[in-house]
Amino acid sequence: MFIKTINVVAAAIYNDRDQILCFQRGPGRSLAGLWEFPGGKIEPGESQEEALIREIKEELKAELIISQYIGEAAYDYDFGRVEMKLYSATITDNQYQLTEHLQAKWVDRSQLMSLDWAPVDIPLAQELMTKKNL
């Protein structure tokens, strides 16, 4: 059986208090109510970094500054296999607007697993809890 692969990039947006900005998926979308790192699909001809900067501009109306590559995870959903690459990043002045998400909140890294994450985000949230520096 052929499974469609969806390549996505996401940002672990952090602040100087060692917190990560986490987002809850809005109603009417797949995986509604679950938490995720913001980001989206890589368009043809885009680098991972270009796609991430564009997606954050679209989703959060924010300017992203990418710090480093964190890692990747994959999950087989009923609609296809999502392969996600995660980068640590900051946003200018910590200013953003929610356009697709129900809510956002800053979460201490040690508390990341207290959220109900979308399946592909879980291993990366776990990795962020143990990472020394972003």
Side-chain angles (χ1 to χ4, degrees), residues 1 3 11 14 17 35-37 42-43 68 82 99 105-106 108 117 123 128:
M1 180 172 130
I3 296 178
Y14 64 93
R17 294 175 34 212
W35 290 83
E36 69 178 356
F37 299 109
I42 302 168
E43 300 292 338
Q68 63 177 311
V82 173
T99 64
K105 64 180 173 181
W106 290 102
D108 291 335
W117 289 95
L128 283 171

Side-chain angles (χ1 to χ4, degrees), residues 83-102:
E83 294 183 355
M84 185 171 81
K85 312 276 193 289
L86 184 69
Y87 290 83
S88 65
T90 56
I91 49 177
T92 307
D93 301 325
N94 285 331
Q95 298 295 314
Y96 62 91
Q97 297 174 23
L98 297 182
T99 64
E100 297 180 10
H101 294 92
L102 185 61

Side-chain angles (χ1 to χ4, degrees), residues 8-53:
V8 299
V9 287
I13 298 169
Y14 64 93
N15 64 19
D16 58 5
R17 294 175 34 212
D18 206 31
Q19 296 173 316
I20 303 288
L21 191 55
C22 304
F23 294 82
Q24 189 176 32
R25 293 179 65 84
R29 302 176 66 207
S30 65
L31 308 172
L34 296 181
W35 290 83
E36 69 178 356
F37 299 109
K41 295 177 187 160
I42 302 168
E43 300 292 338
E46 278 184 322
S47 71
Q48 292 175 13
E49 293 87 352
E50 289 167 339
L52 188 53
I53 289 167

